């Protein structure tokens, strides 16, 4: 029966995450953007919150009771992104390995890989999905995985590979027999070259790299399951939820500002041109949130999600761009100045169309 | 969180779908072309159906259903109306039922008023009720009501002119129905003095003077009603006759609150029309061998695919906002903001979607041989009545900003 309320557990998760995001992520966001560095202490505190461990069953070192739910994933992603997207992506990066292993991996693969990410301290994870060519889409990859005896040989170039330099593993997605294959490639594998840290429009706090795979050879046992496309669909829902989080941040900031700023003898929020912009921002943010929850819920029910996820993702990325741009506009010239976070949110939101695989499940 | 349809919802949808397909679609074009004629056979059938299923028809009649527990009355009404409007929006609006006038009585009427004016609503011959707020000199700014109500002994005496009254003609001239009229007790006292009154059919001094010619929803009658010393019993006032300076739920505020239940329903009706257009277009494309690939790169996607995806997303976003507003009402939560979000979003979305469908279908879309052009005409009203786009933006903005109507107007 149609119902939009979060259950108690979901509410608790949301409260925990949004409080943490407001108290810890938001204050650190600007400096991370300026310096490109996310403070160690923050990462440690976040790790103790158990965001990742909570999705991994006890037998592999975590403390999850069931399967990770896409709805819960969306709640966490949205909440963290409201604090700061770059830091959120860094903190959630272990999921780039943990989730595909959990979802697609064999018992052996789970036993071998998961405990590495379940230690006392945060261990970064990484995934290589996006490719540096104009027509990229996750269903149509140029990177290939060719079977050769007991090995796979990977060839191609990937970009926007999060934390590639420090992660023990990169899950590389490549066109393979039977669909898109996911391969766990340990850092330092011969044939894997990690390029310079990338410089991006937004997400400046987040380390991303271009990587090259040149006849990079991994054992057949490095492949996780068969077709990884459904896996990537799940990650798109988390991305869309992050788009909502960032829009929400911008909306709230615009509201506060507009109610304080005077023009022509009234608060600017009292002018319809501004008030209506804010009304639309609120409506669009809520609309995208509901579309994402519906898509996530469908996945949790075992749906294939190819249509729902595509639609929610398209809607949310467009929404995030419009809403964060309007959020900046509400501040006028001050929106363009880096003292305020709105220009950063607008830069960060621009990326949603290309975040494939950066965002964790 | 749950996005599955309950059994009740599924069966309500299926039943409404049957009426939409079997009774509305076949006559939709005819009663659009022959404006101002009445589809009596259709009226009678809908009346007969709803007699056995009081809860199941029309706008607002169940808007204030159970306020606790897991009732889903408002949601079911919305789903039903989406289907009926998918059948035909003009005919759906014409279905004999208590309509908006009934919603007002339901929301603020006394038990006697409810019994008297709603209780017998599904007996005898088809009957309509209507709501008359709008006057020639105002629409959105409803505190400008100039129609007067003066107490004279055991009666109220009404004078004034109302326009754009949906089903006004059918309520007053074609059936034994009633109109809820907004009138002021004292123009100098502003909105606190505006009260609503039940005016039954057959009241002397009440005349329907014009029936509007419209762009769309032509099967629905939109009437101008003139009140000249029209006398109604004193207890036909809804709420109290006292003028309390602050808005109270029993007076103006109370009637405004009925919009919280009817706005999602207007949204749902627009969604039904837009869905009809989109389904029709997709069907036509499929027959022409064109399928929509949802998961291809933006570079490989055709403009058509992108447009269709956008329209589907807009439609579903509107629907979810609408369902959420209903869900809140069914839970007894205050939903003014959400109801306005649903209406504002859907109003614009369905206008754009139906226009885009006509465009994409080319000559086919423009031709009166097909339904697309009609759906475009029918959809537009969604963004106008029961609060225009801008009025709903105002309500949302006030809620979001925490402003009163004085601070933001
Ligand atoms: C087919 C049809 C059926 C109807 N049915 C009924 C009915 O049953 N009962 C009834 O009482 N009325 C009915 N109406 C009237 C309808 O509710 C009004 O037309 C509507 O509320 C708009 O009022 P208006 O036409 O006077 O426009 P106006 O109020 O004059 O508005 C004109 C424009 O100005 C904008 N505007 C107005 N105020 C503001 C503001 N404060 N801020 C920003 N923009 C503003 C509006 O959005 C609109 O774009 C019906 C109308 C139609 C066309």
């Amino acid at each position: 029966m149609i119902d939009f309320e979060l259950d108690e557990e979901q509410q608790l998760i949301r409260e925990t995450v949004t409080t943490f995001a407001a108290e810890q992520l938001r204050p650190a966001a600007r400096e991370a953007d300026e310096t490109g560095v996310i403070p160690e202490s923050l990462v440690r505190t976040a790790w103790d919150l158990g965001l990742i461990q909570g999705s991994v069953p006890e037998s592999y070192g975590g403390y999850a009771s069931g399967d990770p739910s896409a709805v819960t994933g969306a709640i966490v992603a949205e909440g963290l992104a409201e604090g700061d997207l770059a830091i959120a992506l860094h903190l959630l990066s272990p999921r780039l390995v943990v989730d595909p292993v959990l979802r697609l991996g064999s018992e052996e693969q789970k036993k071998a890989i998961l405990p590495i990410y379940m230690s006392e301290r945060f261990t970064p994870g990484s995934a290589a999905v996006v490719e540096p060519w104009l027509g990229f889409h996750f269903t149509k990859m140029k990177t290939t995985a060719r079977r050769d005896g007991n090995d796979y040989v990977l060839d191609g170039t990937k970009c926007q590979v999060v934390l590639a330099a420090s992660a023990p593993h990169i899950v590389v997605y490549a066109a393979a027999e039977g669909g898109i294959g996911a391969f766990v490639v340990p850092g330092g594998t011969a044939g894997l070259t990690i390029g310079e840290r990338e410089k991006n429009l937004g997400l400046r706090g987040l380390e991303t790299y271009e990587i090259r795979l040149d006849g990079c050879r991994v054992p057949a046992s490095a492949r996780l399951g068969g077709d990884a496309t459904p896996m990537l669909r799940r990650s798109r829902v988390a991305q869309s939820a992050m788009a909502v989080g960032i829009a929400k941040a911008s909306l709230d900031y615009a509201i506060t500002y507009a109610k304080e700023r005077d023009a022509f003898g009234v608060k600017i929020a009292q002018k319809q041109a501004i008030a209506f912009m804010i009304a639309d921002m609120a409506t669009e943010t809520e609309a995208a949130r509901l579309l994402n929850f519906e898509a996530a819920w469908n996945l949790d029910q075992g749906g294939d999600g190819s249509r729902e996820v595509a639609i929610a993702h398209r809607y949310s990325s467009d929404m995030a761009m419009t809403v964060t741009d309007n959020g900046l506009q509400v501040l006028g010239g001050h929106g363009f100045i880096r003292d305020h976070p709105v220009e950063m949110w607008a830069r960060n939101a621009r990326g949603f169309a290309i975040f494939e695989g950066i965002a964790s499940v | 969180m749950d996005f599955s349809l309950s059994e009740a919802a599924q069966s309500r949808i299926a039943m409404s779908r049957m009426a939409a397909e079997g009774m509305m679609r076949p006559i939709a074009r005819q009663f659009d072309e022959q404006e101002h004629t009445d589809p009596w056979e259709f009226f009678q059938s809908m009346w007969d159906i709803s007699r056995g299923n009081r809860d199941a028809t029309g706008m607002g009649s169940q808007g204030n259903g159970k306020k606790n527990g897991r009732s889903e009355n408002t949601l079911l009404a919305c789903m039903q109306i989406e289907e009926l409007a998918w059948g035909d929006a003009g005919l759906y609006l014409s279905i004999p039922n208590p309509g908006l006038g009934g919603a007002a009585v339901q929301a603020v009427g006394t038990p006697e008023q409810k019994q008297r004016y709603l209780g017998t609503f599904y007996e005898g011959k088809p009957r309509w009720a209507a709501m008359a707020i709008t006057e020639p000199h105002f629409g959105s700014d409803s505190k400008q009501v100039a129609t007067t109500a003066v107490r004279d002994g055991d009666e109220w005496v009404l004078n004034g002119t109302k326009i754009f009254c949906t089903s006004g003609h059918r309520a007053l001239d074609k059936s034994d129905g009633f109109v809820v009229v907004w009138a002021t007790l004292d123009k100098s006292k502003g909105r606190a003095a505006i009260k609503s009154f039940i005016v039954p059919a057959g009241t002397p001094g009440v005349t329907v003077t014009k029936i509007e010619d419209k762009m769309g929803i032509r099967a629905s009658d939109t009437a101008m009603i003139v009140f000249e010393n029209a006398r109604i019993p004193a207890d036909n006032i809804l709420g109290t006759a006292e003028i309390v300076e602050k808005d109270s739920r029993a007076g103006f505020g109370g009637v405004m609150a009925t919009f919280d239940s009817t706005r999602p329903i207007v949204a749902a009706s627009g969604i039904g029309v837009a869905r009809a257009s989109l389904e029709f277009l997709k069907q036509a494309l499929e027959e022409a061998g064109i399928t929509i690939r949802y998961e291809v790169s933006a570079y490989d996607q055709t403009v058509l695919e992108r447009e269709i995806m956008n329209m589907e997303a807009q439609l579903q976003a509107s629907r979810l906002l609408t369902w959420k507003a209903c869900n809140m009402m069914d839970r007894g939560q205050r939903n003014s903001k959400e109801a306005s979000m649903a209406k504002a979003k859907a109003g614009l979305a369905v206008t754009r979607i139906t226009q885009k469908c006509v465009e994409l279908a080319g000559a086919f879309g423009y031709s009166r041989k097909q339904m697309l052009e009609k759906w475009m005409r029918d959809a537009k009203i969604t963004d106008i009545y029961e609060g225009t786009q801008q009025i709903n933006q105002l309500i949302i903005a006030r809620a979001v900003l925490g402003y009163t109507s004085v601070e933001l107007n």
Side-chain angles (χ1 to χ4, degrees):
Chain A
M1 166 168 178
I2 301 286
D3 185 24
F4 295 87
E5 305 256 319
L6 303 185
D7 65 28
E8 261 175 53
E9 190 190 329
Q10 291 166 337
Q11 261 174 39
L12 188 71
I13 292 173
R14 177 152 85 177
E15 272 160 36
T16 312
V17 169
T18 49
T19 308
F20 174 73
E23 288 172 359
Q24 309 265 340
L25 266 52
R26 182 69 65 85
R30 174 56 78 182
E31 201 179 319
D33 190 69
E34 297 287 338
T35 61
V37 180
I38 291 165
E40 254 315 301
S41 57
L42 179 56
V43 176
R44 210 168 304 143
T45 318
W47 183 247
D48 292 338
L49 216 59
L51 294 171
I52 311 290
Q53 304 92 310
S55 69
V56 175
E58 280 175 28
S59 44
Y60 311 116
Y63 45 82
S65 42
D67 261 359
S69 126
V71 169
T72 311
I75 293 168
V76 171
E78 182 185 319
L80 289 180
E82 195 182 326
D84 184 61
L85 188 60
I87 303 177
L89 289 168
H90 183 109
L91 297 180
L92 291 176
S93 73
R95 287 210 171 156
L96 296 174
V97 178
V98 166
D99 283 346
V101 170
L102 265 179
R103 204 154 275 288
L104 307 172
S106 65
E107 190 54 34
E108 254 183 316
Q109 290 167 324
K110 290 181 195 174
K111 285 232 160 76
I113 300 165
L114 292 175
I116 299 172
Y117 293 85
M118 291 296 109
S119 71
E120 294 272 288
R121 298 277 292 267
F122 172 88
T123 308
S126 184
V129 182
V130 190
E131 293 168 356
W133 55 286
L134 284 176
F136 172 77
H137 190 263
F138 77 95
T139 53
K140 222 173 120 186
M141 291 181 179
K142 285 194 165 172
T143 300
T144 53
R146 181 172 50 82
R147 182 79 191 233
D148 183 25
N150 282 335
D151 294 338
Y152 275 103
V153 181
L154 302 171
D155 282 290
T157 306
K158 295 280 185 180
C159 61
Q160 311 283 356
V161 185
V162 179
L163 298 171
S166 50
H169 303 105
I170 302 173
V171 176
V172 175
Y173 294 84
E177 211 175 303
I180 301 284
F183 301 86
V184 183
V185 180
T189 303
L192 166 69
T193 322
I194 297 174
E196 296 276 285
R197 178 171 173 177
E198 290 169 324
K199 296 187 170 120
N200 294 313
L201 166 71
L203 296 183
R204 294 186 181 192
L206 185 70
E207 279 181 57
T208 72
Y209 298 86
E210 183 164 294
I211 67 166
R212 271 212 342 271
L213 299 148
D214 254 325
C216 177
R217 194 171 276 273
V218 288
S221 62
R223 182 168 183 178
L224 299 171
D227 183 18
T229 314
M231 177 75 223
L232 290 165
R233 274 184 206 131
R234 291 180 83 87
S235 97
R236 293 190 120 198
V237 176
Q239 285 167 51
S240 310
M242 291 184 162
V244 173
I246 208 168
K248 176 75 167 39
S250 199
L251 166 67
D252 288 346
Y253 200 90
I255 291 171
T256 309
Y257 186 89
K259 290 180 76 174
E260 279 166 8
R261 177 81 177 169
D262 295 297
F264 303 97
V266 292
K267 302 297 173 194
I268 56 167
Q270 291 175 275
K271 296 281 185 194
Q272 283 192 355
I274 296 296
F276 286 8
M277 220 188 245
I278 288 173
D280 289 346
M281 287 164 71
T283 306
E284 288 301 311
T285 305
E286 179 67 8
R289 173 181 293 121
L290 297 180
L291 278 176
N292 290 331
F293 278 146
E294 189 189 32
W297 182 87
N298 270 319
L299 290 175
D300 284 343
Q301 303 302 304
D304 128 275
S306 52
R307 178 177 163 276
E308 290 84 0
V309 171
I311 281 176
H313 185 262
R314 151 64 48 76
Y315 193 93
S316 305
S317 353
D318 286 352
M319 179 282 298
M321 283 193 263
T322 318
V323 169
T324 54
D325 181 55
N326 284 342
L328 193 161
Q329 184 72 19
V330 167
L331 272 73
H334 297 269
F336 201 74
I337 303 298
R338 300 220 299 273
D339 288 349
H340 294 278
V342 291
E343 64 80 31
M344 180 176 76
W345 291 329
R347 283 187 285 112
N348 288 351
R350 243 314 153 192
F352 277 104
I354 55 117
F355 288 165
E356 306 290 359
I358 293 193
S360 346
V361 179
Chain B
M1 196 177 305
D2 190 350
F3 290 89
S4 66
L5 298 181
S6 65
E7 260 174 48
Q10 287 174 28
S11 78
R12 184 73 75 90
I13 289 172
M15 274 174 51
S16 319
R17 182 63 178 251
M18 259 162 57
E21 247 167 3
M23 295 158 61
M24 300 169 88
R25 281 284 174 94
I27 59 168
R29 175 57 77 180
Q30 180 194 343
F31 287 94
D32 177 70
E33 301 275 337
Q34 296 166 16
E35 202 175 6
H36 311 309
T37 56
D38 292 321
W40 277 104
E41 221 176 290
F42 168 72
F43 292 163
Q44 190 62 52
S45 315
M46 291 310 281
W47 187 252
D48 293 340
I49 291 172
S50 53
R51 203 180 325 203
N53 184 17
R54 283 193 52 150
D55 221 26
T57 38
M59 264 168 124
S61 55
Q62 58 285 90
N64 278 38
K66 246 185 275 152
K67 288 249 171 191
N68 46 22
R70 300 280 280 122
S71 146
E72 54 173 350
N73 284 347
T74 318
L75 190 65
L76 293 184
C78 259
M79 291 173 171
Q80 168 166 34
I81 275 139
E82 181 180 326
E83 295 308 313
L84 294 177
W86 175 92
D88 187 74
L91 290 171
Y92 134 72
L93 261 184
S94 309
I95 293 171
N97 69 29
L100 269 182
V105 175
Q106 184 69 258
V108 288
T110 62
E112 294 75 42
Q113 286 169 333
K114 286 186 196 171
Q115 180 53 34
R116 176 120 179 252
Y117 289 100
L118 302 176
T120 59
F121 221 85
Y122 296 96
E123 287 156 26
K125 282 193 246 149
R127 201 183 288 199
W128 290 264
M131 175 105 123
I133 305 167
T134 310
E135 295 180 16
H137 69 291
F138 83 87
S140 306
D141 187 7
S142 48
K143 66 179 178 298
Q144 298 302 330
V145 165
T147 295
T148 55
V150 176
R151 183 70 181 254
D152 183 25
D154 280 349
E155 293 175 325
W156 291 103
V157 185
L158 301 178
N159 277 288
T161 301
K162 293 289 178 182
I163 58 167
F164 295 172
C165 182
T166 299
S167 298
H169 183 43
R170 287 171 184 151
L172 295 176
D173 295 345
K174 303 253 171 139
S175 75
D176 196 11
F178 65 89
V179 175
V180 170
V181 178
W182 287 26
T184 174
L185 303 187
D186 182 348
K187 188 91 173 67
S188 70
K189 297 227 165 97
R191 63 170 60 188
I194 297 170
K195 303 288 170 181
S196 44
F197 300 85
I198 304 170
V199 179
T203 302
V206 181
T207 326
V208 171
T209 54
K210 186 183 177 197
I211 301 168
E212 304 291 344
D213 300 333
K214 301 189 296 291
M215 175 189 185
I217 53 163
R218 294 186 182 184
S220 158
D221 93 59
T222 308
M224 177 187 231
I225 307 169
V226 174
F227 299 84
E228 271 175 315
N229 293 319
R231 289 175 172 271
I232 51 168
D235 54 12
N236 275 24
I237 190 168
L238 285 170
T240 124
E242 221 180 311
I243 302 176
V244 190
E245 292 302 330
K246 219 176 142 282
D247 280 354
S248 70
R249 266 188 86 82
F252 192 85
V255 185
M256 290 310 242
T258 64
F259 290 132
D260 296 347
S261 66
T262 58
R263 281 185 176 139
I265 281 178
V266 173
S269 71
I271 290 166
V273 178
R275 193 186 96 211
S277 304
L278 203 47
E279 278 178 8
F280 183 91
L281 181 64
K282 281 182 76 176
Q283 176 77 30
L285 291 173
E286 222 165 87
E287 280 161 18
I290 302 167
T291 49
I292 308 304
R293 301 161 302 159
Y294 290 94
E295 282 188 329
V296 295
S297 132
Y299 293 83
D300 295 330
Q301 221 170 31
T302 62
V303 171
L304 190 70
E305 284 172 327
R306 195 173 176 113
E307 295 282 15
I308 299 259
M309 267 181 80
N310 279 343
M311 289 194 282
E312 287 185 22
Q314 290 288 336
L315 194 65
Q316 187 63 8
S318 307
R319 185 184 282 121
L320 291 173
L321 286 173
T322 303
W323 286 358
K324 178 161 185 201
C326 292
N327 191 238
M328 289 178 72
M329 170 138 279
D330 286 335
R331 283 174 170 272
Q333 297 164 342
R334 189 79 202 273
N335 71 339
S336 307
K337 180 182 80 181
E338 288 75 12
S340 282
M341 280 185 168
K343 170 80 163 68
K345 175 76 201 173
L348 199 58
V350 306
T351 300
R352 298 259 194 278
I353 290 169
T354 51
Q355 290 175 356
K356 191 47 101 179
C357 285
V358 166
E359 180 202 316
L360 292 175
F364 199 60
Y366 208 71
S367 163
R368 265 158 57 201
K369 270 196 207 142
Q370 300 298 340
M371 296 299 273
L372 284 172
E373 65 81 28
K374 177 179 185 298
W375 289 328
M376 180 189 129
R377 288 186 285 109
D378 288 347
K380 180 63 213 176
I381 194 65
T382 317
D383 210 17
I384 298 171
Y385 61 9
E386 285 187 55
T388 58
Q389 172 74 213
Q390 291 70 27
I391 293 305
N392 284 292
Q393 281 173 313
L394 258 183
I395 295 168
I396 300 162
R398 282 179 196 143
V400 171
L401 291 162
Y403 277 160
T404 62
S405 55
V406 176
E407 290 164 309
L408 180 63
N409 54 48

